[in-house]
């Protein structure tokens, strides 16, 4: 009976092996198969238990904790104790400000929902029928989360996140196509939980963000800032595709032309 084995897309059929093969020939076949399996299995398989989707209110608190915890990686990459302490002090203040009422993260992440799920774009149409120049034409920002089911029920754990918005300023949105950064979409709050790194979660998040950006009017470029060399290596990986626009002693600016 014909038998087959499958490993990461490699299909082997037992019936292809001639019955006249010698022991030496079989050894060669076995070694070749092992080498093929080794090569095929080097890429990171997609974990089907992980879902990438737009953030929802129920995710906000976990996402906030994830982002705050993720800042430690940047602190740890500082080249010396002095800079490490400066980074730690800076991020401690940043967390306090952003997680306060009215902050970018807000209390239990309510700011994330307000900012990334309820953003508006200003109308640029001269014959707009409404007197309100902030018609809800479509969102200028969105956030994706990676969630993983942790039990047989409906409980999920947020293990990754990324936000993206039109323009480079964190507090404002370009309101006119003549604005320099109207066609630029910036990446914010990118983070993957420590236990979930190296599993392709970050690449899937960035792919979802890019797909969303490409659907927006006049989208030309994605851009981001980071002071984390590990993150910089991730963004400039060929699968993510960003290139260095500018580097200083403290941070880098990276972009991807669409």
């Amino acid at each position: 009976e014909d038998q087959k084995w499958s490993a990461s897309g490699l299909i082997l059929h037992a019936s292809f092996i001639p019955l006249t093969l010698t022991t030496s020939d079989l050894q060669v076949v076995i070694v070749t198969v092992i080498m093929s399996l080794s090569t095929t299995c080097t890429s990171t398989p997609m974990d089907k238990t992980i879902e990438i989707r737009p953030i929802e209110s129920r995710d906000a608190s976990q996402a906030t904790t994830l982002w705050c915890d993720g800042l430690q990686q940047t602190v740890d990459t500082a080249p010396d104790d002095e800079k490490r302490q400066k980074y730690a002090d800076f991020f401690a203040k940043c967390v306090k400000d952003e997680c306060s009422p009215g902050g970018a993260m807000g209390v239990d992440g309510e700011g994330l929902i307000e900012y990334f799920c309820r953003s508006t774009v200003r109308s640029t149409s001269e014959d707009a029928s409404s007197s309100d120049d902030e018609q809800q034409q479509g969102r200028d920002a969105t956030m994706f989360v990676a969630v993983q089911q942790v039990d047989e029920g409906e409980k999920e754990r947020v293990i990754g996140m990324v936000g993206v918005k039109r323009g480079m300023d964190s507090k404002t949105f370009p309101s006119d196509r003549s604005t320099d950064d109207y066609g630029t979409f910036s990446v914010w709050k990118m983070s993957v939980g420590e236990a979930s790194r190296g599993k392709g979660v970050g690449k899937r998040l960035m792919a979802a963000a890019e797909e969303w950006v490409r659907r927006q009017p006049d989208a030309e470029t994605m851009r981001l800032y980071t002071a984390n060399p590990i993150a910089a290596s991730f963004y400039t990986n060929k699968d993510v595709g960003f290139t260095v626009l500018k580097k200083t002693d403290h941070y880098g600016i990276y972009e991807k032309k669409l």
Side-chain angles (χ1 to χ4, degrees):
E1 181 181 356
D2 183 29
Q3 299 180 42
K4 67 178 180 179
W5 298 267
S6 175
S8 299
L10 179 65
I11 306 297
L12 305 176
H13 289 269
S15 59
F16 88 102
I17 303 176
L19 295 178
T20 57
L21 282 179
T22 65
T23 301
S24 298
D25 292 330
L26 283 171
Q27 288 176 341
V28 172
V29 171
I30 291 170
V31 170
T32 302
V33 169
I34 291 173
M35 292 176 65
S36 299
L37 284 169
S38 176
T39 302
T40 307
C41 295
T42 53
S43 59
T44 304
M46 181 180 294
D47 188 336
K48 295 182 179 179
T49 68
I50 298 173
E51 178 188 4
I52 309 296
R53 58 167 172 75
I55 192 171
E56 300 174 6
S57 296
R58 59 184 168 135
D59 309 314
S61 180
Q62 287 190 61
T64 299
T65 300
L66 177 76
W67 177 77
C68 293
D69 291 345
L71 296 175
Q72 185 60 42
Q73 186 187 66
T74 302
V75 175
D76 293 340
T77 60
D80 53 59
D81 290 342
E82 182 180 356
K83 283 193 174 181
R84 195 172 297 111
Q85 188 58 53
K86 286 183 178 179
Y87 282 1
D89 293 342
F90 172 79
F91 285 132
K93 182 179 185 304
C94 184
V95 166
K96 182 179 179 180
D97 292 343
E98 296 220 358
C99 295
S100 62
M105 308 293 284
V107 178
D108 290 330
E110 61 185 19
L112 289 177
I113 303 303
E114 184 66 29
Y115 188 90
F116 286 104
C117 298
R118 299 170 188 163
S119 303
T120 60
V121 244
R122 290 184 178 275
S123 171
T124 56
S125 173
E126 295 180 358
D127 59 350
S129 58
S130 172
S131 59
D132 185 353
D133 69 345
E134 285 194 356
Q135 300 176 60
Q136 186 72 20
Q137 298 178 329
R139 289 182 299 175
D140 253 312
T142 194
M143 174 168 278
F144 292 95
V145 290
V147 295
Q148 188 170 34
Q149 188 171 318
V150 295
D151 56 34
E152 295 182 357
E154 297 183 355
K155 188 176 181 181
E156 293 176 328
R157 179 174 63 246
V158 176
I159 61 172
M161 59 191 289
V162 63
V164 61
K165 67 172 291 291
R166 187 185 294 276
M168 291 300 296
D169 190 285
S170 64
K171 297 182 179 179
T172 62
F173 291 86
S175 59
D176 189 278
R177 285 178 171 81
S178 64
T179 307
D180 289 341
D181 63 347
Y182 186 82
T184 300
F185 285 77
S186 51
V187 177
W188 298 88
K189 303 289 188 286
M190 173 65 182
S191 187
V192 174
E194 186 174 1
S196 302
R197 293 171 191 163
K199 300 179 180 179
V201 175
K203 291 178 182 179
R204 290 176 63 185
L205 284 165
M206 290 298 293
E210 181 177 333
E211 181 183 355
W212 180 86
V213 170
R214 288 182 180 276
R215 296 199 303 267
Q216 308 313 305
D218 303 297
E220 300 174 351
T221 306
M222 293 179 69
R223 193 171 293 172
L224 60 91
Y225 296 90
T226 185
N228 184 337
I230 297 176
S233 296
F234 164 75
Y235 292 125
T236 54
N237 179 285
K238 64 181 180 64
D239 293 329
V240 182
F242 280 68
T243 57
V244 179
L245 181 65
K246 177 182 178 180
K247 287 194 77 172
T248 72
D249 292 338
H250 305 291
Y251 66 91
I253 305 176
Y254 302 83
E255 73 171 11
K256 182 174 185 177
K257 297 291 187 181
L258 302 178

